[in-house]
PDB file of all heavy atoms in Angstrom:
ATOM      1  N   LEU A 160      56.771  41.606  41.441  1.00  0.00           N
ATOM      2  CA  LEU A 160      56.613  41.836  42.882  1.00  0.00           C
ATOM      3  C   LEU A 160      56.998  43.267  43.246  1.00  0.00           C
ATOM      4  O   LEU A 160      58.033  43.766  42.831  1.00  0.00           O
ATOM      5  CB  LEU A 160      57.489  40.866  43.683  1.00  0.00           C
ATOM      6  CG  LEU A 160      57.207  39.373  43.465  1.00  0.00           C
ATOM      7  CD1 LEU A 160      58.138  38.544  44.323  1.00  0.00           C
ATOM      8  CD2 LEU A 160      55.753  39.036  43.778  1.00  0.00           C
ATOM      9  N   LYS A 161      56.131  43.896  44.045  1.00  0.00           N
ATOM     10  CA  LYS A 161      56.434  45.242  44.531  1.00  0.00           C
ATOM     11  C   LYS A 161      57.213  45.132  45.839  1.00  0.00           C
ATOM     12  O   LYS A 161      56.918  44.250  46.662  1.00  0.00           O
ATOM     13  CB  LYS A 161      55.141  46.015  44.783  1.00  0.00           C
ATOM     14  CG  LYS A 161      54.381  46.332  43.512  1.00  0.00           C
ATOM     15  CD  LYS A 161      53.138  47.134  43.835  1.00  0.00           C
ATOM     16  CE  LYS A 161      52.324  47.384  42.582  1.00  0.00           C
ATOM     17  NZ  LYS A 161      50.979  47.894  42.909  1.00  0.00           N
ATOM     18  N   ALA A 162      58.168  46.025  46.037  1.00  0.00           N
ATOM     19  CA  ALA A 162      58.919  45.997  47.297  1.00  0.00           C
ATOM     20  C   ALA A 162      59.440  47.381  47.646  1.00  0.00           C
ATOM     21  O   ALA A 162      60.158  48.001  46.868  1.00  0.00           O
ATOM     22  CB  ALA A 162      60.078  45.017  47.204  1.00  0.00           C
ATOM     23  N   ASP A 163      59.038  47.860  48.825  1.00  0.00           N
ATOM     24  CA  ASP A 163      59.672  49.040  49.408  1.00  0.00           C
ATOM     25  C   ASP A 163      60.751  48.612  50.389  1.00  0.00           C
ATOM     26  O   ASP A 163      61.724  49.313  50.616  1.00  0.00           O
ATOM     27  CB  ASP A 163      58.621  49.892  50.143  1.00  0.00           C
ATOM     28  CG  ASP A 163      57.549  50.389  49.195  1.00  0.00           C
ATOM     29  OD1 ASP A 163      57.880  51.211  48.322  1.00  0.00           O
ATOM     30  OD2 ASP A 163      56.392  49.928  49.302  1.00  0.00           O
ATOM     31  N   TYR A 164      60.548  47.425  50.974  1.00  0.00           N
ATOM     32  CA  TYR A 164      61.499  46.855  51.929  1.00  0.00           C
ATOM     33  C   TYR A 164      61.653  45.364  51.655  1.00  0.00           C
ATOM     34  O   TYR A 164      60.702  44.706  51.218  1.00  0.00           O
ATOM     35  CB  TYR A 164      60.998  47.028  53.371  1.00  0.00           C
ATOM     36  CG  TYR A 164      60.871  48.466  53.800  1.00  0.00           C
ATOM     37  CD1 TYR A 164      59.667  49.151  53.631  1.00  0.00           C
ATOM     38  CD2 TYR A 164      61.955  49.147  54.343  1.00  0.00           C
ATOM     39  CE1 TYR A 164      59.559  50.482  53.995  1.00  0.00           C
ATOM     40  CE2 TYR A 164      61.846  50.479  54.710  1.00  0.00           C
ATOM     41  CZ  TYR A 164      60.641  51.139  54.540  1.00  0.00           C
ATOM     42  OH  TYR A 164      60.536  52.456  54.901  1.00  0.00           O
ATOM     43  N   ILE A 165      62.856  44.850  51.933  1.00  0.00           N
ATOM     44  CA  ILE A 165      63.095  43.408  51.899  1.00  0.00           C
ATOM     45  C   ILE A 165      63.648  43.022  53.268  1.00  0.00           C
ATOM     46  O   ILE A 165      64.728  43.478  53.660  1.00  0.00           O
ATOM     47  CB  ILE A 165      64.095  43.023  50.787  1.00  0.00           C
ATOM     48  CG1 ILE A 165      63.550  43.446  49.415  1.00  0.00           C
ATOM     49  CG2 ILE A 165      64.363  41.513  50.818  1.00  0.00           C
ATOM     50  CD1 ILE A 165      64.543  43.261  48.267  1.00  0.00           C
ATOM     51  N   LEU A 166      62.886  42.229  54.019  1.00  0.00           N
ATOM     52  CA  LEU A 166      63.315  41.785  55.339  1.00  0.00           C
ATOM     53  C   LEU A 166      63.957  40.408  55.212  1.00  0.00           C
ATOM     54  O   LEU A 166      63.352  39.500  54.603  1.00  0.00           O
ATOM     55  CB  LEU A 166      62.115  41.700  56.297  1.00  0.00           C
ATOM     56  CG  LEU A 166      61.791  42.956  57.112  1.00  0.00           C
ATOM     57  CD1 LEU A 166      61.632  44.188  56.253  1.00  0.00           C
ATOM     58  CD2 LEU A 166      60.562  42.739  57.989  1.00  0.00           C
ATOM     59  N   LEU A 167      65.154  40.258  55.777  1.00  0.00           N
ATOM     60  CA  LEU A 167      65.870  38.991  55.685  1.00  0.00           C
ATOM     61  C   LEU A 167      66.142  38.446  57.079  1.00  0.00           C
ATOM     62  O   LEU A 167      66.774  39.120  57.907  1.00  0.00           O
ATOM     63  CB  LEU A 167      67.193  39.176  54.935  1.00  0.00           C
ATOM     64  CG  LEU A 167      67.057  39.752  53.519  1.00  0.00           C
ATOM     65  CD1 LEU A 167      68.434  39.975  52.899  1.00  0.00           C
ATOM     66  CD2 LEU A 167      66.223  38.815  52.637  1.00  0.00           C
ATOM     67  N   THR A 168      65.690  37.214  57.332  1.00  0.00           N
ATOM     68  CA  THR A 168      65.896  36.619  58.656  1.00  0.00           C
ATOM     69  C   THR A 168      67.329  36.132  58.819  1.00  0.00           C
ATOM     70  O   THR A 168      67.884  36.188  59.911  1.00  0.00           O
ATOM     71  CB  THR A 168      64.936  35.445  58.897  1.00  0.00           C
ATOM     72  OG1 THR A 168      65.174  34.418  57.915  1.00  0.00           O
ATOM     73  CG2 THR A 168      63.485  35.898  58.826  1.00  0.00           C
ATOM     74  N   HIS A 169      67.912  35.601  57.736  1.00  0.00           N
ATOM     75  CA  HIS A 169      69.295  35.115  57.772  1.00  0.00           C
ATOM     76  C   HIS A 169      69.794  34.946  56.342  1.00  0.00           C
ATOM     77  O   HIS A 169      69.056  35.216  55.395  1.00  0.00           O
ATOM     78  CB  HIS A 169      69.413  33.834  58.606  1.00  0.00           C
ATOM     79  CG  HIS A 169      68.699  32.632  58.063  1.00  0.00           C
ATOM     80  ND1 HIS A 169      67.329  32.559  57.935  1.00  0.00           N
ATOM     81  CD2 HIS A 169      69.166  31.443  57.590  1.00  0.00           C
ATOM     82  CE1 HIS A 169      66.992  31.383  57.434  1.00  0.00           C
ATOM     83  NE2 HIS A 169      68.090  30.683  57.209  1.00  0.00           N
ATOM     84  N   ALA A 170      71.056  34.533  56.183  1.00  0.00           N
ATOM     85  CA  ALA A 170      71.733  34.640  54.886  1.00  0.00           C
ATOM     86  C   ALA A 170      71.700  33.367  54.034  1.00  0.00           C
ATOM     87  O   ALA A 170      72.291  33.351  52.948  1.00  0.00           O
ATOM     88  CB  ALA A 170      73.183  35.064  55.104  1.00  0.00           C
ATOM     89  N   HIS A 171      71.051  32.327  54.494  1.00  0.00           N
ATOM     90  CA  HIS A 171      71.045  31.086  53.710  1.00  0.00           C
ATOM     91  C   HIS A 171      70.399  31.292  52.339  1.00  0.00           C
ATOM     92  O   HIS A 171      69.474  32.095  52.187  1.00  0.00           O
ATOM     93  CB  HIS A 171      70.301  29.978  54.472  1.00  0.00           C
ATOM     94  CG  HIS A 171      71.099  29.414  55.611  1.00  0.00           C
ATOM     95  ND1 HIS A 171      70.543  28.678  56.626  1.00  0.00           N
ATOM     96  CD2 HIS A 171      72.432  29.490  55.865  1.00  0.00           C
ATOM     97  CE1 HIS A 171      71.503  28.313  57.471  1.00  0.00           C
ATOM     98  NE2 HIS A 171      72.652  28.796  57.036  1.00  0.00           N
ATOM     99  N   GLY A 172      70.890  30.505  51.369  1.00  0.00           N
ATOM    100  CA  GLY A 172      70.448  30.650  49.990  1.00  0.00           C
ATOM    101  C   GLY A 172      68.948  30.532  49.803  1.00  0.00           C
ATOM    102  O   GLY A 172      68.364  31.201  48.939  1.00  0.00           O
ATOM    103  N   ASP A 173      68.315  29.687  50.612  1.00  0.00           N
ATOM    104  CA  ASP A 173      66.867  29.505  50.469  1.00  0.00           C
ATOM    105  C   ASP A 173      66.079  30.648  51.124  1.00  0.00           C
ATOM    106  O   ASP A 173      64.850  30.557  51.277  1.00  0.00           O
ATOM    107  CB  ASP A 173      66.423  28.136  51.017  1.00  0.00           C
ATOM    108  CG  ASP A 173      66.700  27.959  52.489  1.00  0.00           C
ATOM    109  OD1 ASP A 173      67.816  28.304  52.945  1.00  0.00           O
ATOM    110  OD2 ASP A 173      65.809  27.466  53.204  1.00  0.00           O
ATOM    111  N   HIS A 174      66.807  31.746  51.467  1.00  0.00           N
ATOM    112  CA  HIS A 174      66.155  32.941  52.012  1.00  0.00           C
ATOM    113  C   HIS A 174      66.583  34.224  51.302  1.00  0.00           C
ATOM    114  O   HIS A 174      65.933  35.256  51.452  1.00  0.00           O
ATOM    115  CB  HIS A 174      66.413  33.052  53.523  1.00  0.00           C
ATOM    116  CG  HIS A 174      65.822  31.896  54.265  1.00  0.00           C
ATOM    117  ND1 HIS A 174      64.675  31.981  55.013  1.00  0.00           N
ATOM    118  CD2 HIS A 174      66.197  30.586  54.290  1.00  0.00           C
ATOM    119  CE1 HIS A 174      64.378  30.772  55.490  1.00  0.00           C
ATOM    120  NE2 HIS A 174      65.289  29.915  55.065  1.00  0.00           N
ATOM    121  N   VAL A 175      67.697  34.138  50.544  1.00  0.00           N
ATOM    122  CA  VAL A 175      68.229  35.371  49.931  1.00  0.00           C
ATOM    123  C   VAL A 175      68.412  35.277  48.412  1.00  0.00           C
ATOM    124  O   VAL A 175      68.864  36.246  47.787  1.00  0.00           O
ATOM    125  CB  VAL A 175      69.592  35.788  50.563  1.00  0.00           C
ATOM    126  CG1 VAL A 175      69.456  35.945  52.069  1.00  0.00           C
ATOM    127  CG2 VAL A 175      70.707  34.809  50.224  1.00  0.00           C
ATOM    128  N   LEU A 176      68.055  34.155  47.818  1.00  0.00           N
ATOM    129  CA  LEU A 176      68.371  33.933  46.392  1.00  0.00           C
ATOM    130  C   LEU A 176      67.980  35.106  45.489  1.00  0.00           C
ATOM    131  O   LEU A 176      68.751  35.510  44.627  1.00  0.00           O
ATOM    132  CB  LEU A 176      67.690  32.647  45.900  1.00  0.00           C
ATOM    133  CG  LEU A 176      67.955  32.306  44.431  1.00  0.00           C
ATOM    134  CD1 LEU A 176      69.397  31.844  44.230  1.00  0.00           C
ATOM    135  CD2 LEU A 176      66.992  31.229  43.937  1.00  0.00           C
ATOM    136  N   ASP A 177      66.789  35.645  45.684  1.00  0.00           N
ATOM    137  CA  ASP A 177      66.280  36.667  44.763  1.00  0.00           C
ATOM    138  C   ASP A 177      66.402  38.098  45.298  1.00  0.00           C
ATOM    139  O   ASP A 177      65.811  39.026  44.736  1.00  0.00           O
ATOM    140  CB  ASP A 177      64.817  36.358  44.405  1.00  0.00           C
ATOM    141  CG  ASP A 177      64.698  35.036  43.649  1.00  0.00           C
ATOM    142  OD1 ASP A 177      65.537  34.786  42.770  1.00  0.00           O
ATOM    143  OD2 ASP A 177      63.779  34.259  43.955  1.00  0.00           O
TER     144      ASP A 177
END
Side-chain angles (χ1 to χ4, degrees):
L160 300 180
K161 292 182 184 167
D163 298 293
Y164 297 91
I165 300 173
L166 269 53
L167 303 176
T168 61
H169 65 295
H171 285 163
D173 62 315
H174 297 255
V175 304
L176 180 71
D177 296 318

